[in-house]
Amino acid sequence: MTHADPSLTLHGVFRRFGYRWVVRDVSLDVAHGEAVLLVGGNGAGKTTLLRVVSGLLKASKGRVERQGAVGMVAHHTMMYDALTARENLRFFGRLHGRSDRTRIDALLDRMGLLHVGDERIGTFSRGMLQRLAIARALLPEPRVLLLDEPLTGLDDSASRTVVEVLAELKRGGAGMMIASHQLVELVGSADRVGYMVGGRMAALEPCGDAGQVVQRYRELADRG
């Protein structure tokens, strides 16, 4: 895989809250069609890094370069309970000029939600909300996809659907950054692993199996 003409580039990214540096000097390229899995303990900076990359937060230092539309699946779904699934997608789709019903229904169908498209999402389970959040992220046909714990609340069948969707997007050339503790399900989707320790990218290496990733993270975390 070549890393020329990356879909996403981070140049010495820092982010702090008050006097605390949460992300420190992170630099990497994500190629078209590549997925980088972010691994680290709670407080390692994974979520903050994704929010900076998405543009939801501004880097305190450094810069982020993105190629094309960005889709984000946050740990909190941040949708409107009083609206139906279809209305939520239509609302967010208008922000990207992609609110046509054909596109919305295709995504609802792909995520197994077409039959509840006209139901208010206040009645949805956590897993249903997560699938809807993924559908929302795909609305603008993103060239960069950022996912924070994308399998939260999903059963085995829904998790497989999400993994299949990620594979399809990679084949289509989307670059991805995925933060997750669910390594068994997601290591097969990743090309490289970024190990976050204390806000730094302690290592960025080819992805092995889940056991290898866990062992490598422990080694790096022990070094501090």
Side-chain angles (χ1 to χ4, degrees):
M1 174 180 299
T2 178
H3 291 267
D5 187 28
S7 62
L8 176 67
T9 303
L10 281 63
H11 301 274
V13 171
F14 289 76
R15 173 69 196 196
R16 72 178 179 185
F17 295 102
Y19 294 103
R20 179 170 173 252
W21 291 98
V22 179
V23 174
R24 298 186 288 168
D25 198 19
V26 175
S27 296
L28 78 154
D29 291 337
V30 179
H32 296 288
E34 180 185 31
V36 174
L37 180 63
L38 298 179
V39 173
N42 292 331
K46 304 184 303 297
T47 293
T48 299
L49 180 61
L50 289 180
R51 288 173 65 82
V52 169
V53 173
S54 73
L56 292 174
L57 288 176
K58 185 178 179 180
S60 300
K61 292 195 291 185
R63 71 182 193 276
V64 178
E65 297 175 1
R66 314 168 193 86
Q67 300 294 326
V70 177
M72 174 77 177
V73 178
H75 189 54
H76 300 289
T77 56
M78 297 180 291
M79 286 181 287
Y80 298 101
D81 288 353
L83 299 181
T84 68
R86 186 174 281 109
E87 287 169 344
N88 266 280
L89 293 189
R90 188 179 302 121
F91 173 81
F92 287 103
R94 289 190 184 117
L95 301 177
H96 300 282
R98 293 305 309 267
S99 59
D100 55 285
R101 183 172 180 125
T102 299
R103 173 74 175 157
I104 287 171
D105 282 0
L107 288 170
L108 288 172
D109 188 36
R110 187 68 182 91
M111 301 311 301
L113 295 171
L114 187 59
H115 66 294
V116 292
D118 292 318
E119 293 184 16
R120 292 184 180 180
I121 68 168
T123 65
F124 282 17
S125 68
R126 181 66 178 86
M128 293 167 71
L129 289 173
Q130 188 70 359
R131 283 183 279 155
L132 185 60
I134 293 169
R136 179 185 62 190
L138 300 182
L139 267 172
E141 297 186 287
R143 304 308 295 163
V144 176
L145 188 61
L146 309 170
L147 304 109
D148 191 3
E149 300 293 347
L151 304 186
T152 297
L154 301 186
D155 59 21
D156 289 345
S157 176
S159 293
R160 285 193 297 271
T161 295
V162 172
V163 170
E164 290 169 2
V165 168
L166 297 184
E168 292 168 6
L169 291 168
K170 283 182 62 179
R171 288 193 295 271
M176 303 180 197
M177 292 179 69
I178 308 168
S180 183
H181 292 98
Q182 293 172 276
L183 302 181
V184 172
E185 296 87 349
L186 286 170
V187 290
S189 300
D191 301 287
R192 291 188 291 165
V193 181
Y195 296 92
M196 298 286 294
V197 178
R200 296 188 183 276
M201 187 75 72
L204 182 61
E205 301 172 347
C207 189
D209 63 32
Q212 292 169 329
V213 170
V214 170
Q215 180 60 36
R216 179 60 171 148
Y217 172 71
R218 288 173 177 166
E219 292 171 0
L220 294 166
D222 287 343
R223 295 178 192 171

